Amino acid sequence: MKHTQMASLLSLFAISILLLALIHGGFGVEASKQFKVGDDFGWQEPSMNNTGIYSHWASSHRFRVGDSLFFEYNNDSILEVDKWGFYHCNASGAIIAFNNGKSVIKLDRPGPVYFISGVHDHCKNGQRFIVEVMGSHSRSPPAIIAAPPEPFLAPGPLQSSAKPVSVIVYSVFMALVVTFATIIWCAA
């Protein structure tokens, strides 16, 4: 009976640690996302009273490296251009261009990315937008930041050769040790 209880308690402990890690993002990776440009409106020339639709759409989403944009359109094209090409609706220096009706563009670097319609009048009428791409989806634990050395100051009277320890990591470790010891003690 005691072995069964002990195994149950240890299983519960392991599951609790796993859930804690999942809740606090301990595994460090978020899935990449695919965004449909313009949502239900798709990629088409906006009406005269809706010229800001794509700027509004882009500003209402958060894009990261690894995400992708899905364009769905008819009788049009999508071009990635530089900043100058964006503001002047100039398609001549396009970085990439698609005209197949359904296109996916992967966001592979942080920073601004500029998109326009390949149809000059469509671009002039608001069929263009800028995506501000943030860093990747992977999350790593925060780094312990040490103060830079100060070569012009004399060392203090009591220097320690011990390595710095994160108080949070130490506290979590101690809580786990106490929990585990309590489970073992209760099972005995």
Side-chain angles (χ1 to χ4, degrees):
M1 178 76 178
K2 284 188 179 185
H3 290 291
T4 307
Q5 285 178 334
M6 178 92 156
S8 296
L9 287 172
L10 288 176
S11 297
L12 180 63
F13 179 74
I15 290 170
S16 298
I17 297 300
L18 181 63
L19 288 174
L20 181 66
L22 285 171
I23 289 170
H24 291 289
F27 292 104
V29 178
E30 295 177 19
S32 296
K33 298 176 185 172
Q34 184 176 78
F35 297 90
K36 182 179 179 192
V37 175
D39 295 324
D40 292 335
F41 187 71
W43 183 244
Q44 61 182 312
E45 182 180 18
S47 64
M48 291 297 260
N49 60 354
N50 202 13
T51 58
I53 185 171
Y54 294 108
S55 297
H56 176 64
W57 177 85
S59 67
S60 67
H61 292 83
R62 178 173 277 173
F63 305 97
R64 294 190 175 275
V65 171
D67 289 342
S68 57
L69 303 176
F70 171 64
F71 294 83
E72 191 170 27
Y73 51 94
N74 293 313
N75 302 319
D76 209 324
S77 60
I78 178 64
L79 306 169
E80 179 184 340
V81 295
D82 62 11
K83 185 177 183 178
W84 191 90
F86 175 81
Y87 286 105
H88 295 92
C89 289
N90 186 331
S92 65
I95 299 166
I96 57 173
F98 293 99
N99 64 358
N100 60 1
K102 291 186 178 185
S103 307
V104 176
I105 298 174
K106 186 168 183 175
L107 303 173
D108 59 0
R109 67 187 184 284
V113 185
Y114 303 90
F115 297 99
I116 65 171
S117 169
V119 179
H120 185 73
D121 288 341
H122 289 194
C123 178
K124 287 287 187 190
N125 292 332
Q127 193 177 354
R128 59 183 168 168
F129 66 99
I130 304 169
V131 169
E132 186 63 42
V133 183
M134 299 176 359
S136 67
H137 284 278
S138 62
R139 294 186 298 181
S140 57
I144 298 174
I145 300 173
E150 297 181 28
F152 301 108
L153 296 177
L158 299 174
Q159 287 191 347
S160 171
S161 62
K163 295 180 181 177
V165 177
S166 170
V167 174
I168 294 171
V169 172
Y170 181 75
S171 299
V172 170
F173 176 74
M174 288 307 298
L176 290 174
V177 167
V178 169
T179 303
F180 187 73
T182 303
I183 289 172
I184 297 295
W185 182 73
C186 289

